[in-house]
Amino acid sequence: MKYLELVTTKNMVTAATGAGVMFLLAKTILAGLKSPRYKPEPIPLARLALDHHESTQAKDSGALQGLLHSLNRKLDDYSKNMILHGITRCVYLLETEAAACTYEDIKLVASFMDDPDMGIKIQALHALKAFTGVWKFKNRIQEFVPKILEVITNNWDNDVHIAGLRLLNGLQVPDNVHALLKKLMSSLMEILQMGSALAQVQVLKFLTMLVQKEVLLYDIMNCQVHPDFLNLFQPSRPGNLLYELLVFVEQLTEGRLAPQYQLTYQQYNELSLHEVLFGNDSRIADHLLSLVIHPEEEVQIQACRVILKLQLEDREISSNQNPDAAFGSFLAESNIGSPLASSTIISKH
């Protein structure tokens, strides 16, 4: 079944008639394909008493090194937790001292991802995230990506998921972990479906980054999902979650259009992500149309972009024509610019 046919059901015509959808699509086209940059979420930093450090503005106060030197595995859980918390605070506030740290300091902090206490794991992830802001450490911290993935996928804890994925989203994923990612893809997809809203937002950002790696695209597409996966598109869900979900679907659509991907025969499992989103029986179009009228403008625009991409994809895959020609054909069929144009981006009469 063609995507153009999927989005021409009677229900959709009723749901998105008139110039409203046409206005949104035109606005989307004019806006281009720009997407807002990733903005790190603020990290809560509890007040920590540092007897030897009265002013965070003082140069070379020694506060950060003092905390690092006092950190060891023999401390009680409370002390480890608070010292790691203090390290995170100092890295953000004392740039000069953070830049003076060594790789051994980073390894010490990273070693606490192995601590049995969940709170200490989380604090270690927060501290590593803070150190990614120091340019000389960003590439070195990539060496810990396998361990970070292990912590995320071996512990069902929303705070661990959020902290670990926020850290990963600030790093480049090295090629040598692709094989590991293929093994862990089902666990990441489970976080997307069953995690908290904040964890879902972070895992969507991570999966969107992975989709752009050709070697991982099929594994993401063929990953098993729950039968009710499309419930993630319910308009009642948080706007930032819906936005990231739509960006993810857009990237999947673009990945399917890649020449290398189209040249290879792909066979998908019945309940794979591909079949749920792009299969003949997919109901994705209904859900997209429900988001075109979402109260948040970013969600509206992104939903229109995905609809546009699906229609252009249908033309390109079926006729293998030039994308610019397909786009022109689409505009002509939709009568965009005509004051009396009806909602032909959704249906054809």
Side-chain angles (χ1 to χ4, degrees), residues 35-36 65-66 82 89 133 175 196 236 254 269 323 344:
S35 295
Q65 279 302 313
M82 295 305 290
R89 176 178 182 268
D175 293 345
S196 69
S236 59
E254 290 186 356
N269 295 320
T344 52

Side-chain angles (χ1 to χ4, degrees), residues 162-341:
I162 295 167
L165 288 162
R166 285 185 67 248
L167 174 54
L168 289 176
N169 285 331
L171 299 171
Q172 293 292 325
V173 177
D175 293 345
N176 61 2
V177 301
H178 287 170
L180 176 61
L181 281 165
K182 291 182 179 185
K183 295 178 181 178
L184 299 179
M185 202 61 69
S186 60
S187 297
L188 294 172
M189 202 62 66
E190 194 67 15
I191 296 174
L192 172 57
Q193 297 170 98
M194 302 298 293
S196 69
L198 289 176
Q200 289 173 319
V201 168
Q202 293 300 327
V203 78
L204 278 167
K205 290 180 178 181
F206 186 57
L207 288 170
T208 298
M209 178 171 61
L210 297 184
V211 166
Q212 298 172 55
K213 296 181 178 292
E214 183 184 336
V215 68
L216 296 174
L217 182 56
Y218 173 74
D219 297 274
I220 296 174
M221 290 278 204
N222 199 40
C223 194
Q224 294 288 282
V225 296
H226 299 176
D228 61 350
F229 180 84
L230 290 180
N231 286 343
L232 287 172
F233 292 82
Q234 290 178 352
S236 59
R237 295 189 182 273
N240 62 335
L241 171 58
L242 292 171
Y243 174 80
E244 296 298 340
L245 185 60
L246 290 165
V247 171
F248 177 53
V249 175
E250 182 182 15
Q251 289 296 321
L252 287 171
T253 306
E254 290 186 356
R256 279 162 45 85
L257 286 172
Q260 299 89 338
Y261 195 78
Q262 290 191 43
L263 287 174
T264 59
Y265 174 73
Q266 309 289 2
Q267 187 172 3
Y268 302 100
N269 295 320
E270 183 179 354
L271 278 179
S272 66
L273 179 64
H274 178 276
E275 291 304 293
V276 170
L277 292 178
F278 307 113
N280 291 338
D281 298 324
S282 174
R283 303 300 301 168
I284 183 65
D286 297 312
H287 293 274
L288 290 174
L289 282 172
S290 72
L291 297 180
V292 167
I293 56 174
H294 190 274
E296 297 188 28
E297 186 178 24
E298 273 192 336
V299 177
Q300 296 174 4
I301 293 174
Q302 190 61 34
C304 286
R305 285 170 56 168
V306 175
I307 291 173
L308 175 62
K309 286 287 179 67
L310 290 176
Q311 291 185 324
L312 291 177
E313 178 196 47
D314 180 58
R315 287 164 170 77
E316 183 157 332
I317 289 179
S318 61
S319 64
N320 197 30
Q321 62 181 339
N322 182 279
D324 292 335
F327 185 69
S329 172
F330 167 72
L331 295 180
E333 291 179 16
S334 300
N335 293 321
I336 289 180
S338 170
L340 300 178

Side-chain angles (χ1 to χ4, degrees), residues 66-196:
L67 288 168
L68 288 165
H69 288 155
S70 64
L71 183 63
N72 67 76
R73 305 302 292 267
K74 295 180 181 180
L75 293 170
D76 61 85
D77 288 349
Y78 178 80
S79 297
K80 288 187 283 188
N81 195 308
M82 295 305 290
I83 291 173
L84 284 166
H85 211 109
I87 289 171
T88 302
R89 176 178 182 268
C90 287
V91 172
Y92 280 122
L93 296 177
L94 306 174
E95 296 181 7
T96 302
E97 292 188 34
C101 290
T102 66
Y103 180 59
E104 293 302 315
D105 296 326
I106 302 298
K107 288 201 298 183
L108 172 64
V109 170
S111 70
F112 284 85
M113 289 191 287
D114 286 324
D115 196 280
D117 183 85
M118 206 68 68
I120 294 172
K121 291 180 187 290
I122 293 168
Q123 293 302 334
L125 292 167
H126 285 329
L128 288 174
K129 173 63 177 173
F131 272 115
T132 61
V134 181
W135 68 269
K136 73 175 184 178
F137 292 133
K138 192 153 189 170
N139 289 339
R140 301 305 301 267
I141 293 175
Q142 288 177 195
E143 298 174 18
F144 301 106
V145 167
K147 184 62 185 180
I148 299 166
L149 285 167
E150 178 188 321
V151 172
I152 292 170
T153 55
N154 287 352
N155 298 278
W156 189 261
D157 182 279
N158 281 315
D159 290 331
V160 168
H161 295 162
I162 295 167
L165 288 162
R166 285 185 67 248
L167 174 54
L168 289 176
N169 285 331
L171 299 171
Q172 293 292 325
V173 177
D175 293 345
N176 61 2
V177 301
H178 287 170
L180 176 61
L181 281 165
K182 291 182 179 185
K183 295 178 181 178
L184 299 179
M185 202 61 69
S186 60
S187 297
L188 294 172
M189 202 62 66
E190 194 67 15
I191 296 174
L192 172 57
Q193 297 170 98
M194 302 298 293
S196 69

Side-chain angles (χ1 to χ4, degrees), residues 50-64:
L50 301 174
D51 294 337
H52 57 288
H53 177 54
E54 297 296 332
S55 172
T56 59
Q57 301 302 319
K59 293 183 179 180
D60 300 323
S61 66
L64 181 53

